[in-house]
């Protein structure tokens, strides 16, 4: 008998027993006979001409199979890395990036040679013996200087350092500003951060020469994407190229593109006729896995003294790095969402993408929405401070209240109840008591602060009508549902998982929709050899798009099962009732057939006239709109004015992601997401030396990843406003925590330092930074 | 993250260790808890020819009180100091410092002597040992030396220990007066090296005046620093807010920090001052509450 109502059940992840007992299958667990190992020789310079490379000593080193440079890969890797057109279809400059530098290295960490050896120790030994003659060139590191005419160039064959310059005007901005009682200006930064996955990248390539066939095991969010591009560049048709990604230990957006090393390992396997393994070490990871954020916003807000928001002007300066990330321009979405959950008469945004001699930036958990939220929530607090109004009330006064709501840029927010989540969060933290306590502590010379973040975000990427024109790809999703003769169910999907619990939550959906036991449903993903084409997992899309593709296949299976039941009962299909996986003739529930029985029949003899055998379906789902989660986070902090150290006293979150499939999984996503946002607010920053372009944060000793000890207790709560966009009524929750949290912390710190007259604090709010600000304010 | 090749040996007796060290000199490196050495090997910052693991040598662990000293075996783990609650009231600063060393995984493996000999300027034990006036017993094939903590730390990762010597014991004198101490550390996150840390240890005489004071500074110079001027200013004086503020100012002046990703020199110096001030208040309060 099927367990009913799995959707919404707080059940434990079926992934966990395997993972927590060490039985996961990560990339370094893949081992093949005769496998060689790759070590990558990387440029130590941010910018240098490569005069020559001497590989002779490395070649003579113990256990070395091959030492390969750009010249060796020419003719094997046939094309450059891909770049999508997200939001900026008319990019100014799209320089081609090849997986290995030939004449000019343009970021510290760029591959210049690879060593293939019998084991990784020997490969690393030999890598130290590869002698590269570099001529250092000026490193372009400062965004504004890079834009100036006559600036040194990131790469010598480019006309300038501008990747794009795009305007996003919406409404009569001059009229909105003319109406204002006051205008405030601020510069708001988004430091570069590293999407730190517990499992670094890595791959194993096995090219079989006699039939031009290749299998590539890789740690990725997008196996089908990798197959399309790496296979294409290597001249192996998709039918012959299989990408396998088993368990993935985190991605956060940094594993949603094909990387140079995947091309290099595959090509090296082709050249050496051996399987080739490459595992990224942590220092390589910090240097050569894409970074997130890296932006500056110059913003002006026009408002009235009664708290009414009127107009918003801002320019996003985005540090592209040396080459476009595959999806780097996606982060321009910050411009379209800069208005947040508020009514504006007009918004005028501009995005300038600027090349620098750094690693590329690409989406990182939230990708554009944390930036937009940080911007608008900072601006609202500036307005509140200016007019002496409670920040909660400025928000309340300007909330969008009617749905669906078309924002200034034409995006349609599907559903929302912003005031409700604000009220709930304020009640949960006991806001009046907290303010009273703040007043008492200030009298004692203690500095506490309260910070709000009321956010709305776009996810469920996305409708082909929007994504195809914006990004050049239609972000639909796929599923294949197959009911086997004895009733167990295999579901193959085009999405993948790198911690999202799809094996659990997708099975919950299928169990309810087909009316079969949860344990009888197996979810398969990550292997292009047995899954339908899909675009992978990012942008909180897997449930709202991928989950709906599963629903579509389940519906087809149920339709066919009804026909089988009608045939078995010699009844009309219209008279068949389906109740929790039991099929019976209306009025006669006692004589029912389970789906397993109908599945068995579907593979047997005596099918209805014209019916094919089997019980399975394939579906592709193209959503009608994006989905729009929202919520309110409130953070309470205390700052030690003598050391600048920040402690988080409370963290309350009320999130609304529509209907919930598994509350435990949603809570887990929020925990991780909030932690990453807090971490950006307080700790993380990828730092390069401004003059030389050397990375200063090349190990985990320097780059700060917080631990449980730095995190407050998360007080989670939710409201449920179902999405009208899809049948499940779901939105997304993978990124919401990160989108909301950094600004809740920063607004709280700014509030704590209000007695010093401090109005704005940049991230990360390091103790030394706050100490300097307090010292300056006191002087 | 993959070390260069090296030989490895784990002798069962100290004599064998000493003989290997005299044989290999600078090519050998002693492996104790490995919490600093192994990362250096993985980053290829260190590439010794041979690692001499002292993990199998008997008699290098444990904390005991003997002849007016607390004696700590050099291979004693940080974790064992953390749980040596019998030191409370005598050597508060050790008990306060131990749980602030990195994270539990490292405290379970890392050793007190290993940390002292590694002499990272941001290592916690250096400042503590300077504050409590410890002595280090070191042995070589040619004999034994006892080196005072003051003067032991010569520069970043550089000490008075010769390459043929191994530290066997830390001796901390404990007198009869009422004592108190504490360790304060500003770290960016748990497990990070100190941005600034300060160790404070005071002994009160029967008259309530400060009979002895030790102040060690961590991560604000090329090596752990003993704030001698601040110590001298305290000795013989009756405790007061003004005295503490003045000693803290002198301690801040003794710091020689450099700007880095953890903050400016000015910032670190001022945090050292603030922490010595807070630390002295705590230490003196504890000593006043203690029984001799």
């Amino acid at each position: 008998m099927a367990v009913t109502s799995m959707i919404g059940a707080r059940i434990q992840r079926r992934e966990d027993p395997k993972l927590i007992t060490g039985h996961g299958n990560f990339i370094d667990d893949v081992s093949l006979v005769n496998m060689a190992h790759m070590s990558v020789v990387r440029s130590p310079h941010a910018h240098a001409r490569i005069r020559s490379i001497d590989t002779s000593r490395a070649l003579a080193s113990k256990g070395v199979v091959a030492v390969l440079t750009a010249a060796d890969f020419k003719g094997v890797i046939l094309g450059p890395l891909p770049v999508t057109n997200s939001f900026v279809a008319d990019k100014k400059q799209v320089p081609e990036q090849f997986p290995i530098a030939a004449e000019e290295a343009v970021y510290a960490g760029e591959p210049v040679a690879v060593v293939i050896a019998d084991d990784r120790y020997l490969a690393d030994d030999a890598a130290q013996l590869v002698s590269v003659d570099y001529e250092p060139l000026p490193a372009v590191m400062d965004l504004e200087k890079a834009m100036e005419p006559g600036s040194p160039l990131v790469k010598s064959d480019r006309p300038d350092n501008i990747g794009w310059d795009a305007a996003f005007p919406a409404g009569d901005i001059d009229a909105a500003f003319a109406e204002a009682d006051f205008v405030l200006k601020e510069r708001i930064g988004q430091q570069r951060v590293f999407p730190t996955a517990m499992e670094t990248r890595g791959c194993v390539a096995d090219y079989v020469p006699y039939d031009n066939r290749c299998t590539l095991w890789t740690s990725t969010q997008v196996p089908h994407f990798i197959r399309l591009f790496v296979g294409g560049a290597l001249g192996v048709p998709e039918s012959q190229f299989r990408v396998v990604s088993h368990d993935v230990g985190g991605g956060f957006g940094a594993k949603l593109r094909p990387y140079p090393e995947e091309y290099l390992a595959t090509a090296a396997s082709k050249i050496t006729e051996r399987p080739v393994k490459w595992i990224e070490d942590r220092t390589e990871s910090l240097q050569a896995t894409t970074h997130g954020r890296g932006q500056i916003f110059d913003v002006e807000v026009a408002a009235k003294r009664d708290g009414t928001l009127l107009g918003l002007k801002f320019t996003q300066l985005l540090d592209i790095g040396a080459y476009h990330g595959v999806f780097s321009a996606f982060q321009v979405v910050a411009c379209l969402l800069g208005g947040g959950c508020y009514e504006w008469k007009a918004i005028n945004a501009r995005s300038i993408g600027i090349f620098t001699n750094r690693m590329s930036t690409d989406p990182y958990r939230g990708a554009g929405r944390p930036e937009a939220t940080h911007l608008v929530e900072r601006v609202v607090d500036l307005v509140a401070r200016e007019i002496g109004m409670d920040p909660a009330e400025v928000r309340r006064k300007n909330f969008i209240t009617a749905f669906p709501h078309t924002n200034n840029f034409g995006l349609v927010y599907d559903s929302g109840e912003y005031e409700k989540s604000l009220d709930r969060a304020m009640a949960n933290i006991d806001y009046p008591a907290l303010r009273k306590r703040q007043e008492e502590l200030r009298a004692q010379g203690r500095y506490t602060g309260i910070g709000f973040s009321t956010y709305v975000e776009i996810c469920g990427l996305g409708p082909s009508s929007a994504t195809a024109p914006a990004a050049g790809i239609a972000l639909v999703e796929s599923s294949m549902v197959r009911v086997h003769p004895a009733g167990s169910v295999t579901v193959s999907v085009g999405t993948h998982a790198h911690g999202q619990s799809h094996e659990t939550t997708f099975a919950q959906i299928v169990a309810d929709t087909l009316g079969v036991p949860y344990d009888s449903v197996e979810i398969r993903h990550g292997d292009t050899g047995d899954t339908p084409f899909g675009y992978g997992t990012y942008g909180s899309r897997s449930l709202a798009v991928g989950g709906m593709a599963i629903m579509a296949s389940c519906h087809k299976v149920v339709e066919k099962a009804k026909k089988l039941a009608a045939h078995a009962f010699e009844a009309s299909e219209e008279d068949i009732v389906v109740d929790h996986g039991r099929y019976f003739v209306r009025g006669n529930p006692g004589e029912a057939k389970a789906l397993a029985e109908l599945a068995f029949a579907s593979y047997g003899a005596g099918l209805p006239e014209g019916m094919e055998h089997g019980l399975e379906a394939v579906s592709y789902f193209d959503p009608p709109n994006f989905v729009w989660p929202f919520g309110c986070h409130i953070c309470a902090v205390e700052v030690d004015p003598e050391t600048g150290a920040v402690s988080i006293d409370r963290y309350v979150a009320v999130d609304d992601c529509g209907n919930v499939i598994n509350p435990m999984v949603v809570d887990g996503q929020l925990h991780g997401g909030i932690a990453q946002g807090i971490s950006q607010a307080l700790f993380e920053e990828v730092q390069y030396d401004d003059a030389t372009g050397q990375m200063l944060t090349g190990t985990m000793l320097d780059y700060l990843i917080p631990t449980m000890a730095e995190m407050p207790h998360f007080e989670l709560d939710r409201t449920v406003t179902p999405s009208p966009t899809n049948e499940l009524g779901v939105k997304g929750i993978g990124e919401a925590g990160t989108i909301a949290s950094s600004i809740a912390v920063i607004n709280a710190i700014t509030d704590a330092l209000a007695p010093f007259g401090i109005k704005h604090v940049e991230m990360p709010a390091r103790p030394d930074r706050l100490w300097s600000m307090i010292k300056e304010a006191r002087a | 993250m993959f070390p260069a090749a090296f030989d490895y040996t784990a002798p069962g007796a100290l004599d064998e260790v000493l003989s290997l060290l005299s044989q290999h000199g600078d090519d050998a490196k002693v492996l104790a808890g490995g919490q600093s050495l192994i990362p250096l090997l993985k980053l290829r910052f260190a590439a010794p020819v041979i690692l001499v693991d002292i993990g199998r040598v008997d008699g290098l662990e444990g904390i005991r009180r003997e002849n007016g000293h607390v004696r700590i075996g050099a291979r004693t783990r940080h974790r064992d100091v953390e749980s040596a609650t019998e030191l409370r009231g005598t050597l508060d600063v050790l008990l306060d410092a131990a749980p602030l060393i990195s994270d539990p995984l490292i405290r379970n493996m890392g050793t007190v002597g290993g940390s002292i000999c590694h002499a990272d300027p941001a290592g916690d034990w250096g400042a503590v040992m300077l504050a409590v006036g410890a002595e280090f017993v070191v042995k070589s094939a040619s004999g034994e030396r006892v080196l005072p903590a003051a003067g032991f730390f010569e520069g970043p990762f550089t000490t008075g220990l010769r390459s043929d010597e191994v530290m066997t014991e830390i001796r901390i004198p404990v007198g009869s007066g009422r004592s108190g101490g504490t360790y304060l550390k500003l770290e960016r996150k748990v497990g990070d090296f100190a941005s600034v840390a300060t160790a404070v240890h005071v002994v009160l005489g029967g008259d309530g005046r400060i009979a002895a004071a030790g102040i060690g500074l961590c991560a604000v110079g090329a090596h752990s620093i003993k704030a001698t001027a601040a110590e001298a200013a305290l000795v013989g004086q009756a405790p007061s807010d003004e005295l503490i503020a003045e000693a803290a100012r002198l301690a801040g002046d003794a710091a020689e920090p450099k700007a880095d990703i953890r903050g400016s020199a000015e910032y670190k110096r001022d945090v050292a001052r603030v922490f010595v001030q807070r630390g002295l208040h705590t230490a003196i309060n504890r000593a006043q509450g203690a029984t001799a």
Side-chain angles (χ1 to χ4, degrees):
Chain A
M1 187 63 235
V3 177
T4 58
S5 296
M6 288 303 291
I7 291 177
R10 182 180 279 274
I11 58 167
Q12 292 191 332
R13 282 157 39 93
R14 58 161 60 157
E15 291 89 341
D16 283 340
K18 172 180 78 171
L19 297 179
I20 63 182
T21 56
H23 292 83
N25 193 4
F26 296 95
I27 195 66
D28 205 16
D29 295 316
V30 176
S31 189
L32 304 179
V33 172
N34 199 33
M35 187 169 76
H37 296 258
M38 181 169 89
S39 177
V40 182
V41 178
R42 298 178 183 278
S43 169
H45 300 285
H47 191 190
R49 186 163 291 116
I50 300 169
R51 287 206 196 97
S52 64
I53 303 177
D54 180 357
T55 60
S56 56
R57 285 175 66 218
L59 266 171
S61 185
K62 186 183 163 194
V64 170
V65 177
V67 183
L68 307 170
T69 65
D72 301 297
F73 288 107
K74 209 173 172 184
V76 182
I77 300 171
L78 306 172
L81 297 168
V83 175
T84 64
N85 278 330
S86 339
F87 297 109
V88 193
D90 51 346
K91 278 210 191 70
K92 193 167 174 293
Q93 241 196 105
V94 186
E96 287 193 336
Q97 179 184 9
F98 287 89
I100 188 161
E103 284 142 19
E104 196 174 342
V106 289
Y107 63 94
E110 185 171 7
V112 294
V114 301
V115 175
I116 311 298
D118 289 333
D119 72 37
R120 179 61 183 267
Y121 293 88
L122 296 173
D124 276 15
D125 288 347
Q128 291 190 308
L129 301 175
V130 173
S131 171
V132 185
D133 184 10
Y134 292 103
E135 177 193 342
L137 298 171
V140 177
M141 304 304 288
D142 184 276
L143 289 184
E144 287 168 294
K145 286 184 192 155
M147 292 165 67
E148 289 168 6
S151 161
L153 296 169
V154 165
K155 194 159 182 284
S156 52
D157 60 358
R158 297 181 189 172
D160 56 34
N161 298 319
I162 308 296
W164 68 74
D165 185 346
F168 299 93
D172 188 340
I173 196 73
D174 293 334
F177 271 66
E179 212 183 308
D181 293 333
F182 62 94
V183 171
L184 301 173
K185 291 185 188 185
E186 193 54 81
R187 167 165 279 206
I188 300 170
Q190 284 280 341
Q191 78 273 30
R192 261 185 186 247
V193 290
F194 180 62
T196 316
M198 216 178 330
E199 185 193 27
T200 58
R201 291 187 296 122
C203 61
V204 179
D206 185 17
Y207 181 85
V208 183
Y210 54 85
D211 52 2
N212 190 31
R213 198 153 45 80
C214 185
T215 306
L216 176 66
W217 288 262
T218 187
S219 182
T220 187
Q221 303 171 224
V222 286
H224 292 274
F225 224 70
I226 303 292
R227 183 182 64 171
L228 186 62
F229 287 104
V230 180
L234 268 291
V236 183
E238 284 151 296
S239 55
Q240 305 287 93
F241 199 101
R242 179 176 164 213
V243 172
V244 186
S245 180
H246 299 297
D247 295 316
V248 177
F252 308 112
K255 291 180 184 169
L256 64 72
R257 56 168 290 180
Y259 272 94
E261 294 84 355
E262 289 163 326
Y263 293 77
L264 297 174
T266 307
S269 175
K270 189 170 183 177
I271 292 167
T272 63
E273 301 194 357
R274 285 178 69 171
V276 170
K277 180 182 219 174
W278 170 73
I279 300 294
E280 182 184 58
D281 73 29
R282 190 57 75 177
T283 294
E284 289 185 287
S285 192
L286 283 155
Q287 287 187 329
T289 288
T290 55
H291 299 155
R293 318 289 189 251
Q295 297 161 44
I296 298 169
F297 290 87
D298 282 317
V299 58
E300 281 182 65
V301 58
K304 288 188 173 175
R305 290 254 155 235
D306 68 358
T308 305
L309 302 172
L310 297 169
L312 190 62
K313 281 192 240 184
F314 60 92
T315 300
Q316 174 189 41
L317 303 181
L318 190 148
D319 178 357
I320 295 171
Y323 292 103
H324 286 290
V326 174
F327 293 96
S328 61
F330 179 81
Q331 300 167 99
V332 172
V333 76
C335 292
L336 308 183
L337 300 173
C341 48
Y342 310 107
E343 302 269 9
W344 296 89
K345 295 210 160 169
I347 300 177
N348 197 348
R350 178 184 178 194
S351 175
I352 308 173
I354 302 152
F355 293 112
T356 64
N357 290 110
R358 294 186 180 90
M359 181 59 198
S360 305
T361 54
D362 232 5
Y364 165 51
R365 203 171 193 170
R369 295 101 90 201
E371 294 93 322
T373 304
H374 202 90
L375 169 88
V376 70
E377 293 302 293
R378 196 74 276 284
V379 159
V380 170
D381 266 31
L382 288 170
V383 169
R385 178 80 71 87
E386 174 70 19
I387 59 177
M389 194 167 173
D390 191 302
E393 296 318 306
V394 179
R395 285 171 168 79
R396 197 184 299 280
K397 188 174 180 70
N398 293 281
F399 274 150
I400 292 158
T401 52
F403 296 89
H405 169 84
T406 304
N407 87 354
N408 298 68
F409 296 97
L411 292 165
V412 181
Y413 298 6
D414 59 350
S415 63
E417 232 182 314
Y418 304 150
E419 196 164 4
K420 187 172 166 187
S421 58
L422 173 67
D423 286 339
R424 180 81 70 96
M426 288 173 75
N428 288 358
I429 206 163
D430 196 353
Y431 184 64
L434 209 56
R435 280 281 179 222
K436 186 160 172 285
R437 177 82 182 135
Q438 180 184 41
E439 218 170 286
E440 291 163 10
L441 289 172
R442 275 187 185 164
Q444 299 169 27
R446 288 175 61 184
Y447 297 86
T448 62
I450 306 160
F452 287 86
S453 171
T454 47
Y455 74 95
V456 59
E457 65 124 333
I458 182 173
C459 67
L461 317 183
S464 64
S465 57
T467 56
I473 47 176
L475 295 176
V476 301
E477 211 34 83
S478 64
S479 78
M480 192 280 295
V481 172
R482 173 173 292 157
V483 187
H484 299 289
S488 65
V489 181
T490 297
V491 180
S492 300
V493 294
T495 56
H496 192 18
H498 44 287
Q500 287 84 354
S501 323
H502 295 168
E503 291 172 41
T504 302
T505 52
F506 284 172
Q508 288 179 261
I509 293 172
V510 173
D512 271 11
T513 311
L514 291 184
V516 296
Y518 167 75
D519 289 332
S520 73
V521 181
E522 190 208 2
I523 306 297
R524 285 198 189 163
H525 49 204
D527 184 343
T528 61
D530 71 359
T531 57
F533 182 85
Y535 286 92
T537 288
Y538 44 87
S540 304
R541 66 188 300 269
S542 295
L543 177 57
V545 189
M548 284 305 300
I550 293 172
M551 289 291 285
S553 288
C554 287
H555 289 327
K556 288 179 190 171
V557 165
V558 169
E559 281 312 302
K560 185 166 182 182
K562 277 171 81 171
K563 288 189 169 67
L564 288 160
H567 184 63
F569 291 125
E570 296 179 349
S572 150
E573 202 186 320
E574 290 74 46
D575 291 334
I576 298 297
V577 176
V578 186
D579 180 26
H580 296 107
R582 296 170 71 255
Y583 292 71
F584 53 86
V585 179
R586 193 179 316 281
N588 189 13
E591 200 182 323
K593 287 194 181 294
L595 186 72
E597 295 171 85
L598 299 171
F600 193 80
S602 79
Y603 293 94
L607 292 184
E609 187 70 27
M611 182 183 278
E612 286 181 36
H613 280 78
L615 188 55
E616 62 183 57
V618 174
S619 302
Y620 287 80
F621 182 75
D622 185 2
N625 187 7
F626 300 98
V627 287
W628 301 84
F630 62 92
C632 174
H633 290 205
I634 306 179
C635 178
V637 302
E638 178 164 5
V639 180
D640 179 339
E642 286 191 306
T643 64
V646 175
S647 59
I648 298 180
D649 296 332
R650 299 275 304 274
Y651 197 97
V652 163
V654 176
D655 295 278
D656 193 321
C657 58
N659 289 333
V660 170
I661 305 300
N662 184 331
M664 191 185 291
V665 167
V666 167
D667 289 353
Q669 287 292 318
L670 281 167
H671 277 237
I674 294 169
Q676 275 182 311
I678 291 176
S679 187
Q680 188 185 356
L682 296 179
F683 303 109
E684 296 187 45
E685 182 170 25
V686 173
Q687 290 180 277
Y688 288 86
D689 185 279
D690 288 337
T692 65
Q694 293 294 308
M695 185 178 274
L696 302 175
T697 49
T699 73
M700 287 298 182
L701 286 175
D702 307 307
Y703 190 81
L704 290 188
I705 296 297
T707 69
M708 194 170 71
E710 282 73 36
M711 288 298 136
H713 170 63
F714 301 130
E715 301 173 50
L716 303 184
D717 195 2
R718 68 174 60 89
T719 57
V720 177
T721 309
S723 169
T725 307
N726 57 63
E727 182 192 346
L728 284 164
V730 297
K731 293 186 174 180
I733 200 65
E735 298 160 288
T738 310
I739 289 164
S741 56
S742 67
I743 190 57
V745 177
I746 291 296
N747 279 344
I749 294 170
T750 311
D751 183 50
L753 301 182
F756 296 107
I758 291 168
K759 288 181 181 163
H760 178 65
V761 171
E762 287 282 80
M763 299 188 290
R766 296 191 315 261
D768 61 304
R769 176 176 268 165
L770 299 183
W771 177 87
S772 299
M773 291 178 75
I774 293 166
K775 188 161 177 275
E776 202 175 301
R778 278 175 161 166
Chain B
M1 296 289 175
F2 295 85
F6 54 84
D7 285 331
Y8 169 88
T9 180
L14 187 62
D15 286 350
E16 282 180 71
V17 170
L18 300 178
S19 150
L20 282 163
L21 292 181
S22 68
Q23 182 189 337
H24 291 283
D26 286 336
D27 284 346
K29 195 79 194 157
V30 172
L31 174 68
Q35 299 305 294
S36 300
L37 182 55
I38 300 293
L40 290 179
L41 294 176
K42 288 172 74 174
L43 292 164
R44 298 198 177 202
F45 290 161
V49 175
I50 181 168
L51 283 191
V52 182
D53 186 344
I54 58 169
R56 294 185 188 169
V57 176
D58 283 337
L60 294 179
E61 284 185 19
I63 301 169
R64 62 189 195 279
R65 200 163 173 163
E66 209 173 272
N67 302 331
H69 285 83
V70 167
R71 303 171 67 145
I72 301 173
R75 212 184 58 217
T76 303
R77 316 273 164 179
H78 308 311
R79 169 77 189 122
D80 294 323
V81 180
E82 191 179 352
S83 54
T85 49
E86 69 274 13
L87 298 178
R88 180 62 70 196
T90 311
L91 290 170
D92 294 327
V93 61
L94 267 74
L95 279 181
D96 284 7
L100 297 182
I101 294 170
S102 196
D103 56 46
L105 302 174
I106 288 191
R107 295 200 292 277
N108 285 338
M109 289 297 290
T111 67
V112 179
S115 170
I116 292 168
C117 294
H118 181 57
D120 191 311
D124 296 284
W125 285 129
V128 172
M129 296 305 158
L130 288 170
V132 298
E135 296 169 333
F136 307 135
V137 180
V138 304
K139 287 184 178 165
S140 69
S142 52
E144 177 183 300
R145 297 195 294 158
V146 178
L147 308 173
F152 181 77
F153 302 101
E154 297 172 352
F157 310 103
T158 311
T159 67
L161 193 75
R162 297 195 312 254
S163 63
D164 66 337
E165 287 176 324
V166 64
M167 183 179 287
T168 56
E169 192 176 72
I170 297 115
R171 288 181 194 159
I172 302 169
V174 285
S176 55
R178 293 176 297 161
S179 72
T182 194
Y183 190 73
L184 297 177
K185 179 173 179 175
L186 180 72
E187 53 185 6
R188 299 177 301 171
K189 59 161 228 171
V190 165
D192 188 30
F193 284 107
S195 299
V196 177
T198 62
V200 167
H201 180 71
V202 296
V203 181
L204 296 183
D207 57 358
R209 288 177 181 268
I210 297 169
I215 298 172
L217 309 179
C218 168
V220 287
H223 53 76
S224 308
I225 290 172
K226 190 167 168 66
T228 48
E231 292 171 351
L234 291 164
V235 175
Q237 306 295 317
S240 71
D241 288 352
E242 295 72 28
L243 178 71
I244 288 170
E246 173 61 10
R249 191 188 62 75
L250 290 169
D253 289 348
E256 298 164 0
K258 280 208 170 78
D260 62 13
I261 56 175
R262 290 179 175 80
S264 66
E266 191 191 9
Y267 171 66
K268 293 179 184 181
R269 186 189 303 283
D270 199 52
V271 173
R273 177 189 64 79
V274 168
F275 276 9
V276 169
Q277 185 164 351
R278 292 179 185 178
L280 282 170
H281 276 289
T282 302
I284 289 166
N285 282 340
R286 282 178 168 176
Q288 287 169 339
T291 47

